[in-house]
Amino acid sequence: MPDKKDFDRDSISNTLIVAIGLSLVCSVIVSSAAIVLKPVQEKNEEQFRQQIILDVAGLMEPGADTADLFAAIEPRMVELASGDYTDVVDPNTFDALAAASDPELGMSIPKDLDIASIGQRAKYAPVYLVRDGDTIEQLILPVYGKGLWSTMLGYLSLAPDGTTIKGLRFYAHAETPGLGDQIDKEPWRAQWAGKQVFGDGDEPQIRVIKGTVPANAPDADYMIDGLSGATLTANGVTGLVQYWTGPHGFGPYLKNYREGSQ
Amino acid sequence: MSEVRQVIIDPLVDNNPITLQMLGICSALAVTTSLLPALLMCVALTSVAALAGAAISALRHRIPNNIRIIVHMTIIASLVILVDQLLKAYAFETSKQLSVFVGLIITNCIVLGRAEAFAMHNGIGMSFLDGLGNGLGYSVILIAVATLRELFGAGTLLGYPVLETVANGGWYEANGLMLLPPSAFFIIGLLIWGIRTWRKQQVEKPEYQIHEVHRTEVY
């Protein structure tokens, strides 16, 4: 290959041309790939979200089609303030994060109530009902809140008594791999099954503590083992579960439920 | 022709990026708990290394010396993002398991090392093949480690049961250590030992040797 002897590639003009030109070309390539592939990725994400709902409900069957299994689950919209069902928005197309900042659908959360650190939320939220004939077997609530690095989004499954937890699973988070990401790993996740959200009152009692839950503690039903090295992530999980089951979240809905009015 | 062969075959054993050059160990430890993510990681790294080699080689007469590393990083980073986006679209489940490690190909020393050492001085075709060869060298080790770890750690290969584990009513007591990161260290160490016993020329000279002093030298 002939060397271009008279061309000074270390000159300031060439440095600028290469730097700017390369940045432009690379950014065009990267952003067009992101845009072209977005629909496929979103479909994957949606399918994954449905799988998580099925998984937290214990309905996931290996090899079965997600959409078929998901058809057995009934999504309903709830108006959070009153705790009643509503048909104002379609639960299948509802996007909680987009609705939270929408002037019509969203509202800001007072600072002292915002234990999930999310700032604002939608006035409505979907619930997923798992039925066996007419009787409801599980209520699956979407929950989200800030962890250490990221917003953690997941689903909490409750028994029909509105207080016994069946499971908690996250479908999106960016917590520290190896430490905070244990929130979505089996040994820690398994502890949630059978724990209680509410004691006597309407305030949720469930929390992630520091260290392991003492076996003989009187309120062991309301405590989850801490995650060593991931205290802030664990605090975030406590915050989001308490917020969404609390009086400002699904509290009124769950109260109706516990009192048997729906 | 022999040059082409050398560029592709050499990195497989004689100049392997992991066992001889000791590059890319971090991801070799992290993604080898089972075979499928390891395979996907191999494809991702090999394609990034080959394409980055070709792209950097094409620009090598224009890249100013004082910003060359940044230029390399920009090209590599763009390719990595491209691969990551493709994986998220077409291999969603496995890309979840790979999590941050696809993104970390950007900092994988194999890619940057070959860009700096080879692509800056050689033609486009050869640089592409050099990236391919080094990617394959990395892949050989990753596949070997992942096969051993998945087989003895979970009794499966690519998710299909090979050794029936006790947990599934079989005879094989799965070795949990194999699924933990330290086992990858042991396996890579043993591989390096094996390769250096086979290919004696890879054994390095000791950097320091105790000098035996004779009593007459003391004074």
Side-chain angles (χ1 to χ4, degrees):
Chain A
M1 189 158 285
D3 230 16
K4 294 166 191 161
K5 286 268 187 283
D6 50 346
F7 175 69
D8 179 14
R9 65 179 188 181
D10 289 328
S11 68
I12 292 182
S13 61
N14 185 55
T15 306
L16 283 175
I17 292 171
V18 170
I20 294 170
L22 189 74
S23 317
L24 281 177
V25 171
C26 287
S27 51
V28 167
I29 293 176
V30 166
S31 44
S32 44
I35 291 168
V36 169
L37 295 172
K38 192 144 203 200
V40 190
Q41 292 172 352
E42 277 176 351
K43 206 171 133 248
N44 285 334
E45 290 285 349
E46 175 63 16
Q47 199 180 21
F48 181 68
R49 203 178 57 81
Q50 294 184 349
Q51 281 173 3
I52 292 290
I53 296 179
L54 288 166
D55 193 69
V56 80
L59 297 175
M60 198 63 200
E61 290 163 28
D65 187 60
T66 310
D68 287 349
L69 291 175
F70 197 70
I73 291 180
E74 183 192 352
R76 294 290 299 271
M77 284 313 285
V78 170
E79 191 187 15
L80 291 174
S82 65
D84 294 327
Y85 290 123
T86 169
D87 291 319
V88 183
V89 261
D90 178 5
N92 292 311
T93 56
F94 182 74
D95 178 346
L97 290 181
S101 49
D102 185 290
E104 290 263 315
L105 297 171
M107 58 175 285
S108 64
I109 304 169
K111 270 245 152 42
D112 51 326
L113 292 174
D114 190 12
I115 45 181
S117 316
I118 47 182
Q120 50 195 9
R121 66 155 169 82
K123 290 175 190 155
Y124 310 98
V127 291
Y128 299 89
L129 305 176
V130 181
R131 287 177 185 275
D132 181 21
D134 275 347
T135 51
I136 288 177
E137 293 195 319
Q138 288 181 59
L139 312 164
I140 299 169
L141 314 176
V143 292
Y144 66 94
K146 282 266 176 350
L148 171 57
W149 308 113
S150 60
T151 302
M152 308 179 284
L153 298 108
Y155 290 99
L156 177 72
S157 175
L158 296 177
D161 63 7
T163 174
T164 307
I165 295 175
K166 293 246 188 179
L168 174 72
R169 276 214 63 178
F170 292 93
Y171 63 93
H173 69 83
E175 296 305 298
T176 323
L179 298 172
D181 75 344
Q182 298 300 317
I183 55 169
D184 201 31
K185 297 273 160 69
E186 193 51 72
W188 191 74
R189 202 166 83 195
Q191 294 180 66
W192 288 82
K195 299 282 178 178
Q196 302 288 320
V197 177
F198 297 101
D200 293 331
D202 291 338
E203 291 284 339
Q205 301 297 314
I206 185 81
R207 63 198 179 274
V208 182
I209 62 165
K210 271 193 170 220
T212 44
V213 176
N216 52 0
D219 48 355
D221 274 355
Y222 308 105
M223 294 194 286
I224 304 284
D225 290 354
L227 288 167
S228 98
T231 307
L232 291 176
T233 303
N235 290 350
V237 174
T238 304
L240 69 91
V241 171
Q242 290 197 352
Y243 176 78
W244 286 102
T245 53
H248 206 253
F250 284 103
Y253 172 75
L254 292 174
K255 192 172 182 198
N256 290 348
Y257 219 91
R258 287 199 304 281
E259 288 164 3
S261 67
Q262 326 199 359
Chain B
M1 196 58 215
S2 70
E3 208 183 334
V4 171
R5 259 216 348 241
Q6 194 193 345
V7 164
I8 295 204
I9 304 293
D10 242 23
L12 294 188
V13 178
D14 287 337
N15 192 13
N16 190 286
I18 295 184
T19 60
L20 186 72
Q21 300 172 30
M22 302 292 160
L23 301 176
I25 302 267
C26 165
S27 57
L29 300 180
V31 301
T32 49
T33 42
S34 50
L35 196 47
L36 189 64
L39 282 174
L40 206 62
M41 185 68 186
C42 294
V43 174
L45 185 116
T46 308
S47 47
V48 169
L51 293 174
I56 288 163
S57 166
L59 290 171
R60 71 186 186 282
H61 294 302
R62 278 213 79 116
I63 298 176
N65 271 316
N66 41 7
I67 59 163
R68 67 177 196 286
I69 300 286
I70 301 175
V71 169
H72 297 168
M73 296 299 282
T74 313
I75 293 173
I76 295 167
S78 309
L79 288 166
V80 168
I81 296 171
L82 207 61
V83 168
D84 195 29
Q85 295 284 334
L86 283 169
L87 288 182
K88 278 196 183 125
Y90 299 109
F92 184 74
E93 301 264 304
T94 324
S95 79
K96 283 242 168 229
Q97 292 179 43
L98 287 174
S99 64
V100 294
F101 291 100
V102 172
L104 285 179
I105 294 177
I106 297 170
T107 58
N108 193 306
C109 310
I110 299 172
V111 185
L112 190 64
R114 295 322 291 175
E116 179 73 5
F118 195 94
M120 282 301 275
H121 312 290
N122 290 280
I124 301 177
M126 287 306 277
S127 301
F128 180 83
L129 293 176
D130 178 70
L132 192 70
N134 276 278
L136 291 176
Y138 172 85
S139 308
V140 167
I141 302 298
L142 238 70
I143 292 170
V145 176
T147 306
L148 288 171
R149 288 181 73 184
E150 189 178 342
L151 186 62
F152 294 111
T156 59
L157 275 181
L158 287 171
Y160 296 103
V162 177
L163 308 172
E164 278 299 329
T165 53
V166 174
N168 289 336
W171 54 272
Y172 180 67
E173 183 76 60
N175 184 346
L177 176 66
M178 280 299 199
L179 297 179
L180 299 172
S183 74
F185 261 123
F186 303 150
I187 295 171
I188 291 177
L190 290 171
L191 278 175
I192 293 173
W193 185 11
I195 289 174
R196 288 185 184 194
T197 314
W198 174 35
R199 296 283 166 108
K200 289 267 191 272
Q201 69 270 33
Q202 292 196 9
V203 180
E204 289 147 7
K205 284 198 185 69
E207 280 179 8
Y208 177 77
Q209 217 162 10
I210 292 172
H211 180 61
E212 301 239 351
V213 180
H214 193 262
R215 66 186 162 79
T216 54
E217 282 180 68
V218 171
Y219 301 104

